[in-house]
Short mmCIF file of all heavy atoms in Angstrom, two decimals:
data_model
loop_
_atom_site.label_atom_id
_atom_site.label_comp_id
_atom_site.label_asym_id
_atom_site.label_seq_id
_atom_site.Cartn_x
_atom_site.Cartn_y
_atom_site.Cartn_z
N PHE I 40 -19.86 -7.74 -15.96
CA PHE I 40 -19.59 -7.04 -14.72
C PHE I 40 -18.11 -7.17 -14.34
O PHE I 40 -17.47 -6.22 -13.86
CB PHE I 40 -20.46 -7.56 -13.59
CG PHE I 40 -20.36 -6.79 -12.31
CD1 PHE I 40 -21.05 -5.62 -12.11
CD2 PHE I 40 -19.59 -7.29 -11.26
CE1 PHE I 40 -20.95 -4.91 -10.94
CE2 PHE I 40 -19.48 -6.59 -10.07
CZ PHE I 40 -20.16 -5.39 -9.89
N THR I 41 -17.56 -8.35 -14.54
CA THR I 41 -16.15 -8.60 -14.24
C THR I 41 -15.23 -7.63 -14.99
O THR I 41 -14.33 -7.03 -14.41
CB THR I 41 -15.76 -10.05 -14.62
OG1 THR I 41 -16.46 -10.95 -13.75
CG2 THR I 41 -14.27 -10.25 -14.51
N VAL I 42 -15.48 -7.48 -16.27
CA VAL I 42 -14.61 -6.63 -17.09
C VAL I 42 -14.83 -5.17 -16.75
O VAL I 42 -13.85 -4.39 -16.65
CB VAL I 42 -14.86 -6.90 -18.60
CG1 VAL I 42 -14.10 -5.93 -19.47
CG2 VAL I 42 -14.47 -8.34 -18.93
N LEU I 43 -16.05 -4.75 -16.61
CA LEU I 43 -16.30 -3.35 -16.24
C LEU I 43 -15.66 -3.00 -14.90
O LEU I 43 -15.07 -1.92 -14.73
CB LEU I 43 -17.80 -3.10 -16.19
CG LEU I 43 -18.57 -3.18 -17.51
CD1 LEU I 43 -20.08 -3.09 -17.29
CD2 LEU I 43 -18.09 -2.08 -18.45
N THR I 44 -15.74 -3.92 -13.96
CA THR I 44 -15.16 -3.69 -12.64
C THR I 44 -13.64 -3.65 -12.74
O THR I 44 -12.98 -2.79 -12.13
CB THR I 44 -15.58 -4.79 -11.65
OG1 THR I 44 -16.99 -4.75 -11.49
CG2 THR I 44 -14.93 -4.58 -10.28
N ASN I 45 -13.05 -4.55 -13.48
CA ASN I 45 -11.59 -4.53 -13.64
C ASN I 45 -11.10 -3.29 -14.40
O ASN I 45 -10.02 -2.79 -14.13
CB ASN I 45 -11.11 -5.81 -14.33
CG ASN I 45 -10.87 -6.94 -13.36
OD1 ASN I 45 -9.77 -7.05 -12.81
ND2 ASN I 45 -11.88 -7.76 -13.13
N ALA I 46 -11.92 -2.80 -15.34
CA ALA I 46 -11.56 -1.56 -16.00
C ALA I 46 -11.56 -0.42 -14.98
O ALA I 46 -10.67 0.46 -15.01
CB ALA I 46 -12.54 -1.27 -17.11
N ALA I 47 -12.54 -0.40 -14.09
CA ALA I 47 -12.58 0.63 -13.04
C ALA I 47 -11.37 0.46 -12.10
O ALA I 47 -10.78 1.48 -11.66
CB ALA I 47 -13.90 0.52 -12.27
N ILE I 48 -11.00 -0.75 -11.79
CA ILE I 48 -9.81 -1.01 -10.98
C ILE I 48 -8.57 -0.47 -11.64
O ILE I 48 -7.70 0.16 -11.01
CB ILE I 48 -9.67 -2.51 -10.68
CG1 ILE I 48 -10.76 -3.01 -9.71
CG2 ILE I 48 -8.29 -2.84 -10.12
CD1 ILE I 48 -10.70 -2.44 -8.32
N ALA I 49 -8.41 -0.73 -12.94
CA ALA I 49 -7.26 -0.26 -13.66
C ALA I 49 -7.13 1.27 -13.58
O ALA I 49 -6.06 1.78 -13.29
CB ALA I 49 -7.30 -0.71 -15.11
N LEU I 50 -8.22 1.96 -13.84
CA LEU I 50 -8.19 3.43 -13.81
C LEU I 50 -7.97 3.94 -12.40
O LEU I 50 -7.14 4.85 -12.17
CB LEU I 50 -9.50 3.99 -14.35
CG LEU I 50 -9.78 3.74 -15.83
CD1 LEU I 50 -11.20 4.16 -16.18
CD2 LEU I 50 -8.76 4.52 -16.70
N THR I 51 -8.67 3.37 -11.44
CA THR I 51 -8.58 3.83 -10.05
C THR I 51 -7.20 3.60 -9.46
O THR I 51 -6.62 4.50 -8.81
CB THR I 51 -9.62 3.15 -9.18
OG1 THR I 51 -10.92 3.41 -9.72
CG2 THR I 51 -9.58 3.65 -7.76
N PHE I 52 -6.62 2.43 -9.70
CA PHE I 52 -5.33 2.14 -9.08
C PHE I 52 -4.17 2.79 -9.83
O PHE I 52 -3.13 3.05 -9.21
CB PHE I 52 -5.16 0.62 -8.92
CG PHE I 52 -5.81 0.13 -7.65
CD1 PHE I 52 -7.17 -0.03 -7.58
CD2 PHE I 52 -5.05 -0.10 -6.52
CE1 PHE I 52 -7.80 -0.47 -6.40
CE2 PHE I 52 -5.64 -0.52 -5.34
CZ PHE I 52 -7.02 -0.68 -5.27
N ALA I 53 -4.34 3.02 -11.09
CA ALA I 53 -3.28 3.83 -11.79
C ALA I 53 -3.28 5.26 -11.23
O ALA I 53 -2.24 5.85 -10.98
CB ALA I 53 -3.56 3.86 -13.29
N TRP I 54 -4.49 5.78 -11.02
CA TRP I 54 -4.63 7.12 -10.38
C TRP I 54 -4.08 7.11 -8.96
O TRP I 54 -3.35 8.03 -8.55
CB TRP I 54 -6.13 7.48 -10.39
CG TRP I 54 -6.47 8.83 -9.80
CD1 TRP I 54 -5.65 9.91 -9.74
CD2 TRP I 54 -7.71 9.19 -9.21
NE1 TRP I 54 -6.33 10.97 -9.15
CE2 TRP I 54 -7.57 10.55 -8.79
CE3 TRP I 54 -8.90 8.53 -8.99
CZ2 TRP I 54 -8.63 11.22 -8.17
CZ3 TRP I 54 -9.95 9.20 -8.38
CH2 TRP I 54 -9.81 10.52 -7.98
N SER I 55 -4.37 6.07 -8.21
CA SER I 55 -3.90 5.96 -6.84
C SER I 55 -2.37 5.85 -6.81
O SER I 55 -1.72 6.44 -5.94
CB SER I 55 -4.52 4.74 -6.17
OG SER I 55 -4.07 4.62 -4.81
N ALA I 56 -1.81 5.08 -7.75
CA ALA I 56 -0.36 4.96 -7.80
C ALA I 56 0.30 6.30 -8.06
O ALA I 56 1.32 6.66 -7.42
CB ALA I 56 0.05 3.95 -8.88
N TYR I 57 -0.29 7.07 -8.98
CA TYR I 57 0.24 8.40 -9.28
C TYR I 57 0.17 9.32 -8.04
O TYR I 57 1.16 10.01 -7.73
CB TYR I 57 -0.52 9.00 -10.43
CG TYR I 57 -0.25 10.49 -10.64
CD1 TYR I 57 0.95 10.91 -11.24
CD2 TYR I 57 -1.17 11.44 -10.22
CE1 TYR I 57 1.20 12.28 -11.40
CE2 TYR I 57 -0.93 12.79 -10.39
CZ TYR I 57 0.26 13.20 -10.98
OH TYR I 57 0.51 14.54 -11.12
N ARG I 58 -0.95 9.28 -7.34
CA ARG I 58 -1.11 10.15 -6.18
C ARG I 58 -0.17 9.72 -5.05
O ARG I 58 0.35 10.58 -4.30
CB ARG I 58 -2.56 10.14 -5.72
CG ARG I 58 -3.53 10.74 -6.72
CD ARG I 58 -4.95 10.78 -6.20
NE ARG I 58 -5.12 11.81 -5.17
CZ ARG I 58 -5.37 13.10 -5.42
NH1 ARG I 58 -5.50 13.51 -6.68
NH2 ARG I 58 -5.50 13.94 -4.44
N THR I 59 0.06 8.43 -4.93
CA THR I 59 1.00 7.96 -3.92
C THR I 59 2.43 8.38 -4.26
O THR I 59 3.15 8.88 -3.41
CB THR I 59 0.92 6.42 -3.81
OG1 THR I 59 -0.40 6.03 -3.51
CG2 THR I 59 1.88 5.90 -2.76
#
Side-chain angles (χ1 to χ4, degrees):
F40 186 81
T41 293
V42 173
L43 294 172
T44 298
N45 272 273
I48 289 294
L50 293 172
T51 302
F52 275 78
W54 180 27
S55 181
Y57 168 75
R58 295 183 73 85
T59 302

